Amino acid sequence: MRILLPLYGLLIVVFAVGVVYVFKAGLDHYVASNSLAEMQIDPPDGWTVRPYQLADGAAITGSDDDPAAAIGTTATILNSFDIPTGGLKEGAVKTFQRDNEMLALRLERGPHEPKRVSLADRLGYGTPEETLDPDTVFATVAGLPLIVHPRESIVEGMPAPRPVNYRYFTMTIGDKTIDEVMEVAVLTNSSDAALVAILDRVDIAFLNERLPTPDTRVMASAGVLTRDALPLSDVPPRPTPAYRALELLASGQSFDAPWGEALAQIRDGQITSFEELQIRYPRIDTLPYALLEVLEDGSQTSTARYYARILSNSGRAWSGHEFHVLSTIAEVGSTQADLNEYLAGQYDVAAEVLALAKRLPEGPAAGSVPAQVVQSGVVPTAGLRNAATCVLENGVRRCTVGSN
């Protein structure tokens, strides 16, 4: 019996230490969670901040107030923003607003999920650690990558994702395979400038210090760094072509074949640019202007190519030089550089044709494919001084050689 007494004493000590450890871990988690709820983030000038409500998420996403009635991933996102406000004291969600611009910011403590080591990993045959796709990194916040997710929502039973007009960003502080993490998420319809201004006011160092194992990558002094050095836009980004196509289809406007089909392909993400549309549908000269606006990329290049085809097939008496310029503009991938030498010849070219040429990019983009001739009813000329004067009569192009 005397021999067992020390053993009992040791077991009691071990048990007491275990109780203290569990209590301390629970207390630390409670304190950290409450700290998130109490964390103050001063809004930028002109913005207000308040606790998040379900109606805020519905306003940002354009979905119903009830997340269960929303669509696919949109419902998942809205539910994830509601969890920290459900009395679990695991995080906090705040809504920033300026007029119609809204941004919901979620701060939530994530669980420790140890990495499962397979036999292949033990033998050294495991797959290399995943690396982030650079195209998904919108910016770095205090040295950590802020990931931008696709502007689409998965709809069960549908062959293609449904396009959406909100943006969703996430960032993780810490490594969940080592210990608990802090997860930051943003749901917004705001501009890039507003997004960066608000994130720059989040105390990432404070969040990092609340973790059992702080993230060594955190550099609080780094602030928010975007990928491009260009000034950030202070207006919300334009809806994607897929979303604009969805809106046009929902408007009830009818389109002759094959443009209704083309619009559906844009909505489903099968066509994402004017060049891709042109390759699939060469007879682009009958393209409705409303559909052109869906694919307009803001550079006016698409509009220039479209009008080049319209003008060249309009029946107007263009000179051969003008036909050459119009056909060059119409080519996929053509640039101003392709016309500089030709136009240096001081040929008589109508002002509206020259105006279209100025809407082309100055030079080819890095890694772009050379321009290809497009069979769209435009007949390129040789560009010689003895170029022909051509008109379109009853669908037949007639040319007279010798006119300038």
Side-chain angles (χ1 to χ4, degrees):
M1 185 68 178
R2 291 180 179 178
I3 298 176
L4 293 176
L5 286 176
L7 180 59
Y8 289 147
L10 179 61
L11 290 175
I12 291 173
V13 170
V14 171
F15 178 77
V17 169
V19 170
V20 170
Y21 177 81
V22 171
F23 177 80
K24 183 179 184 303
L27 180 62
D28 288 345
H29 187 279
Y30 180 82
V31 171
S33 298
N34 275 307
S35 297
L36 292 179
E38 297 300 323
M39 183 177 178
Q40 298 295 318
I41 304 175
D42 296 327
D45 292 341
W47 287 76
T48 59
V49 60
R50 64 175 184 275
Y52 173 85
Q53 298 177 354
L54 281 176
D56 298 336
I60 293 172
T61 62
S63 301
D64 296 333
D65 290 353
D66 178 13
I71 305 166
T73 53
T74 301
T76 304
I77 293 171
L78 289 176
N79 279 323
S80 72
F81 272 73
D82 186 41
I83 287 174
T85 65
L88 301 177
K89 298 185 182 298
E90 293 180 346
V93 188
K94 302 177 184 295
T95 298
F96 296 80
Q97 185 168 6
R98 179 182 63 183
D99 298 327
N100 292 327
E101 284 188 84
M102 299 178 70
L103 183 149
L105 173 69
R106 186 185 80 218
L107 308 173
E108 189 174 10
R109 199 176 175 100
H112 172 212
E113 298 177 2
K115 180 180 179 182
R116 295 182 180 180
V117 182
S118 65
L119 178 60
D121 290 322
R122 293 177 185 276
L123 296 176
Y125 299 122
T127 56
E129 184 178 352
E130 289 187 12
T131 55
L132 292 173
D133 181 353
D135 291 337
T136 68
V137 180
F138 173 81
T140 58
V141 182
L144 305 178
L146 178 69
I147 306 303
V148 56
H149 296 267
R151 294 170 75 180
E152 57 188 29
S153 182
I154 309 301
V155 184
E156 188 175 353
M158 296 285 287
R162 183 182 179 88
V164 298
N165 197 30
Y166 61 81
R167 292 190 294 169
Y168 180 55
F169 303 82
T170 57
M171 182 179 74
T172 301
I173 307 172
D175 184 344
K176 64 176 58 179
T177 65
I178 297 174
D179 214 327
E180 291 184 338
V181 296
M182 196 70 69
E183 296 176 342
V184 180
V186 173
L187 181 66
T188 185
N189 60 11
S190 68
S191 66
D192 290 348
L195 169 67
V196 169
I198 291 172
L199 287 176
D200 200 34
R201 293 165 182 263
V202 178
D203 192 343
I204 302 298
F206 171 87
L207 298 175
N208 192 37
E209 290 166 2
R210 293 317 185 258
L211 293 176
T213 305
D215 194 327
T216 57
R217 299 173 300 165
V218 170
M219 299 180 294
S221 61
V224 182
L225 300 175
T226 55
R227 290 186 303 180
D228 303 319
L230 300 175
L232 294 174
S233 172
D234 59 358
V235 295
R238 191 181 183 196
T240 61
Y243 188 82
R244 299 199 292 269
L246 176 67
E247 287 190 311
L248 191 56
L249 286 169
S251 70
Q253 185 174 344
S254 60
F255 295 93
D256 295 333
W259 303 120
E261 174 189 79
L263 198 57
Q265 291 177 338
I266 298 171
R267 176 201 60 196
D268 296 341
Q270 299 172 30
I271 296 176
T272 60
S273 68
F274 187 81
E275 284 72 21
E276 290 176 0
L277 176 72
Q278 183 175 312
I279 290 170
R280 289 193 182 216
Y281 300 95
R283 291 295 308 180
I284 211 77
D285 50 290
T286 63
L287 176 72
Y289 187 79
L291 200 149
L292 172 73
E293 288 184 310
V294 166
L295 286 170
E296 178 58 60
D297 55 11
S299 67
Q300 298 187 337
T301 299
S302 300
T303 308
R305 300 198 196 287
Y306 173 75
Y307 276 121
R309 289 165 180 78
I310 294 297
L311 291 178
S312 63
N313 288 283
S314 65
R316 178 173 168 178
W318 299 106
S319 72
H321 303 302
E322 289 166 332
F323 266 118
H324 175 75
V325 174
L326 288 171
S327 60
T328 301
I329 295 171
E331 292 175 6
V332 175
S334 62
T335 66
Q336 292 185 37
D338 298 324
L339 287 167
N340 286 342
E341 184 177 352
Y342 183 80
L343 293 178
Q346 300 296 319
Y347 301 125
D348 186 14
V349 177
E352 55 265 47
V353 175
L354 293 176
L356 291 181
K358 290 180 180 179
R359 295 187 179 189
L360 297 179
E362 292 185 2
S368 62
V369 239
Q372 50 183 300
V373 176
V374 180
Q375 291 76 33
S376 62
V378 178
V379 181
T381 62
L384 300 176
R385 291 186 181 275
N386 283 334
T389 298
C390 305
V391 295
L392 195 68
E393 297 176 0
N394 300 320
V396 178
R397 190 176 315 283
R398 303 186 184 281
C399 301
T400 305
V401 179
S403 174
N404 203 30

